[in-house]
Amino acid sequence: MARPRVFVSRQIFPEALEMISSVADVDLWESEMPPPRDVLLKRVRGVDGLLCLLTDKVDSELMDTAGPQLKVVSQIAVGFDNIDVPEATSRGIPVGNTPDVLTHTTADAAWALMMAAARRITEGERAVRAGQWRTWHPLHFLGQDIYGATLGVIGMGRIGIEVAKRARGFEMQVLYDDVYRREDLEAELGYRYVDQDTLLAESDFVTLHTVLDDSTHHLIGEVELAKMKPTAVLVNASRGPVVDPEALYDALRNGVIGAAALDVTDPEPIPASDPLLTLDNCVIVPHIASASVKTRGEMSRIAAQNLINGLNGERLLTPVNPEVY
Ligand code: GLV
């Protein structure tokens, strides 16, 4: 029987590629940059499986172009807002993602961002490298205390919970807002379930861990920023469009909030000319929250296994549309 054909849209860990090549003929996009749309469409034609990234748009056009033999779409990321999942489901195509293995790594990164913004770490480092460290001064680089402060978590899913748990060592109060109430966490860990306005008004740190969909697009805009404390720090390690970037720029520039730290931006990558990059009180890193050696290795392995299971007609390890079964 002919081996299945798959398109893998970027280099992943070699061990994971070997897993896939042992069962399928692999067409690998080797460039560091995403395949342009026309190339992506050309390369998926006739494939049985697709291993994709959050930078690849997987929609009905792509599924049509691939053809009716397409058996599986395996994304190497936990988020999948780039994929038209209902469309895949209607065609009986299972879609996989890589949850769980990246939860702790991403929560650690949210903390790294929060602390960097609160204590002006990247700004201080830039000053040192620019030769501007002239003396110790009682009024230089004053930031915000984390210990004993209030943390507001918007989106108390797997990653939000782990971010909240890390607040314990800092003896912080934790407020959270989510469509689902977690009374177990309230009883066990003392978290307080509040509405978004209360969370914004009372938190010293607001951290975003929602999915991106129509209900969370620009969840944080001018009105919401105005409800926050003038010293507050906003952290976004979810998806860029959850925050309105123009409103964020105005709020940071005019002292409406104290600082922001972003793992994700809108658009991505952020252009070098973006006004947010002119602000000292905005930390921006290039969407690296899950980027540890161990976690990216695990994500590669799970994405590979999901692809293989889909090719074999077996249930994916982590399907996002289990209703196809
Ligand atoms: C990264 O943003 C992911 O969704 O895994």
Side-chain angles (χ1 to χ4, degrees):
M1 210 172 80
R3 277 156 57 93
R5 285 178 49 213
V6 300
F7 181 61
V8 176
S9 77
R10 225 66 47 81
Q11 276 286 1
I12 55 174
F13 271 47
E15 299 80 352
L17 268 183
E18 280 163 26
M19 284 167 66
I20 304 171
S21 332
S22 70
V23 301
D25 290 341
V26 177
D27 178 15
L28 172 68
W29 178 254
E30 301 214 19
S31 164
E32 178 185 84
M33 299 304 288
R37 179 76 180 169
D38 58 331
V39 175
L40 178 64
L41 291 179
K42 202 161 143 212
R43 302 277 280 262
V44 298
R45 205 176 285 277
V47 298
D48 301 287
L50 169 65
L51 193 149
C52 57
L53 271 65
L54 46 83
T55 43
D56 305 317
K57 190 170 162 66
V58 180
D59 55 6
S60 59
E61 183 191 24
L62 183 141
M63 294 179 223
D64 281 342
T65 310
Q69 77 299 326
L70 181 66
K71 290 197 189 67
V72 55
V73 173
S74 173
Q75 163 114 323
I76 179 166
V78 65
F80 46 84
D81 45 277
N82 56 308
I83 302 176
D84 187 341
V85 176
E87 181 62 36
T89 306
S90 74
R91 297 169 187 239
I93 301 172
V95 176
N97 68 342
T98 59
D100 301 320
V101 290
L102 51 63
T103 300
H104 289 289
T105 306
T106 305
D108 290 350
W111 270 90
L113 286 167
M114 188 153 60
M115 296 179 82
R119 299 301 305 276
R120 304 175 66 171
I121 301 295
T122 48
E123 185 188 349
E125 212 233 12
R126 277 196 299 275
V128 172
R129 286 180 189 265
Q132 291 163 357
W133 181 12
R134 297 204 185 86
T135 181
W136 188 95
H137 194 292
L139 301 181
H140 280 178
F141 289 103
L142 308 186
Q144 298 300 321
D145 277 323
I146 297 163
Y147 177 81
T150 297
L151 174 67
V153 181
I154 299 186
M156 200 58 135
R158 285 176 286 234
I159 296 170
I161 290 173
E162 286 306 323
V163 172
K165 283 190 181 164
R166 284 157 176 69
R168 217 170 183 179
F170 292 88
E171 301 199 28
M172 297 174 94
Q173 278 195 69
V174 175
L175 311 180
Y176 78 99
D177 185 33
D178 196 295
V179 280
Y180 301 108
R181 186 162 180 180
R182 294 291 307 262
E183 286 178 18
D184 53 332
L185 299 175
E186 292 171 37
E188 189 190 337
L189 299 164
Y191 304 160
R192 195 150 64 87
Y193 184 61
V194 292
D195 60 30
Q196 187 176 289
D197 284 358
T198 307
L199 184 144
L200 294 173
E202 293 187 12
S203 299
D204 300 299
F205 298 90
V206 174
T207 186
L208 305 174
H209 301 286
T210 59
V211 296
L212 173 64
D213 60 20
D214 291 345
S215 70
T216 59
H217 186 264
H218 288 189
L219 183 72
I220 302 297
E222 186 185 351
V223 172
E224 292 73 24
L225 290 159
K227 291 178 180 154
M228 292 171 66
K229 296 184 183 181
T231 49
V233 175
L234 176 71
V235 177
N236 189 7
S238 59
R239 285 290 182 265
V242 173
V243 177
D244 175 348
E246 286 172 22
L248 180 63
Y249 172 78
D250 289 342
L252 288 169
R253 193 179 149 81
N254 299 323
V256 175
I257 67 168
L262 312 175
D263 180 49
V264 289
T265 58
D266 182 20
E268 254 176 51
I270 190 167
S273 59
D274 193 290
L276 281 170
L277 294 173
T278 64
L279 299 175
D280 276 333
N281 56 348
C282 191
V283 175
I284 306 184
V285 296
H287 203 150
I288 54 173
S290 68
S292 76
V293 176
K294 178 164 173 267
T295 292
R296 287 286 166 86
E298 281 292 282
M299 289 167 68
S300 296
R301 189 186 60 75
I302 292 173
Q305 194 62 56
N306 276 337
L307 187 74
I308 293 168
N309 286 12
L311 294 174
N312 291 338
E314 291 162 13
R315 192 183 168 93
L316 309 197
L317 299 178
T318 49
V320 303
N321 56 348
E323 58 277 17
V324 291
Y325 297 112

